[in-house]
Amino acid sequence: MTVSTDIQALLAQRYGHTASFTPPSWNSTLDLMVSHRSVRQWLPRDLDDATLRTVLAAAQSAPTSSNKQIVSVLAVRDTAAKQRLAAVGRQMSQHIIDAPVTLVWLIDFSLARFLAAEEETDTAAGSTPPPAEAVHGVTGRPATDLGALNYMDEPMMAAADIGIASQNAALAAASLGLGTVFLGSLRNDIDEVRDALGIPD
Ligand SMILES: Cc1cc2nc3c(=O)[nH]c(=O)nc-3n(C[C@H](O)[C@H](O)[C@H](O)COP(=O)(O)O)c2cc1C
């Protein structure tokens, strides 16, 4: 990873004028962040699985709201699937087809539901679940009650978690010399995205 020697030039490029401060120290992380650009054209190179997993390890190391870990990510390499995703995004997503990998970030409550179901199974088998207060911090609510998922706060927190995790991935990719661009355009037709990728409810 390179570290710019002319930091003021880098900052001036960012702000369009000379920066009014001098960073007391500088490193390759700051270099990557300040020189960020979205990339929409790719060299004709593949991306190997180990590199992809490395990028995702960085994403999965991001903080998550209440440690709920309600983010899943799908790595899409299949050309036919990428064509369907590009069609969803229309002109804002043509770069999907040429990209070796498109990552689709999902709000995913299935882990929470799975753990709750396990808890139910344990209870049915005779073991005693921890008191609801210890699990949820509130009384009068059984540990398996996932009513909280019905509140707007949950998907909002999940969306924040996705932003943080995906930016970790983007930064990790950049540190490995890989360009990225975010794709809000996939929200044009969520049902079609779900169908193209076989995502369950
Ligand atoms: C949440 C989000 C969604 C975005 N959606 C798209 C998109 O659908 N297509 C696209 O080409 N760029 C998309 N972008 C990239 C922005 O257009 C880009 O970050 C912005 O123009 C600033 O350019 P820069 O990233 O090169 O600094 C998205 C960026 C973010 C953060």
Side-chain angles (χ1 to χ4, degrees):
M1 231 187 318
T2 56
V3 182
S4 300
T5 46
D6 193 345
I7 299 157
Q8 287 300 344
L10 195 64
L11 289 171
Q13 216 174 11
R14 171 52 61 209
Y15 291 116
H17 55 78
T18 305
S20 58
F21 64 98
T22 302
S25 62
W26 196 256
N27 56 45
S28 55
T29 306
L30 289 167
D31 218 296
L32 273 178
M33 289 171 151
V34 172
S35 55
H36 157 79
R37 303 276 186 286
S38 291
V39 176
R40 298 178 180 83
Q41 283 185 311
W42 324 104
L43 295 172
R45 289 190 198 149
D46 207 356
L47 181 69
D48 63 274
D49 274 340
T51 302
L52 178 59
R53 293 301 296 263
T54 305
V55 165
L56 294 180
Q60 289 169 325
S61 303
T64 103
S65 170
S66 303
N67 198 21
K68 285 185 186 164
Q69 305 184 32
I70 42 183
V71 175
S72 286
V73 59
L74 294 179
V76 183
R77 292 183 183 275
D78 178 69
T79 304
K82 284 193 295 177
Q83 277 166 344
R84 286 180 71 176
L85 296 182
V88 168
R90 300 191 283 274
Q91 75 274 14
M92 288 298 284
S93 298
Q94 289 312 306
H95 34 280
I96 289 181
I97 295 170
D98 301 330
V101 178
T102 296
L103 298 178
V104 179
W105 301 86
L106 307 168
I107 296 177
D108 181 1
F109 293 131
S110 64
L111 177 63
R113 294 190 197 286
F114 172 80
L115 293 174
E118 263 202 343
E119 185 105 330
E120 257 168 16
T121 311
D122 284 353
T123 310
S127 61
T128 313
E133 191 173 1
V135 177
H136 297 293
V138 294
T139 52
R141 178 171 291 192
T144 52
D145 180 355
L146 294 182
L149 298 188
N150 298 330
Y151 286 86
M152 194 64 195
D153 192 53
E154 292 294 319
M156 284 181 68
M157 289 289 56
D161 283 7
I162 282 182
I164 294 165
S166 56
Q167 176 58 20
N168 255 23
L171 198 56
S175 76
L176 298 170
L178 301 167
T180 62
V181 62
F182 279 79
L183 289 166
S185 56
L186 291 188
R187 301 195 319 280
N188 284 349
D189 188 345
I190 297 228
D191 288 338
E192 168 63 4
V193 171
R194 186 166 59 186
D195 195 53
L197 304 181
I199 300 168
D201 282 348

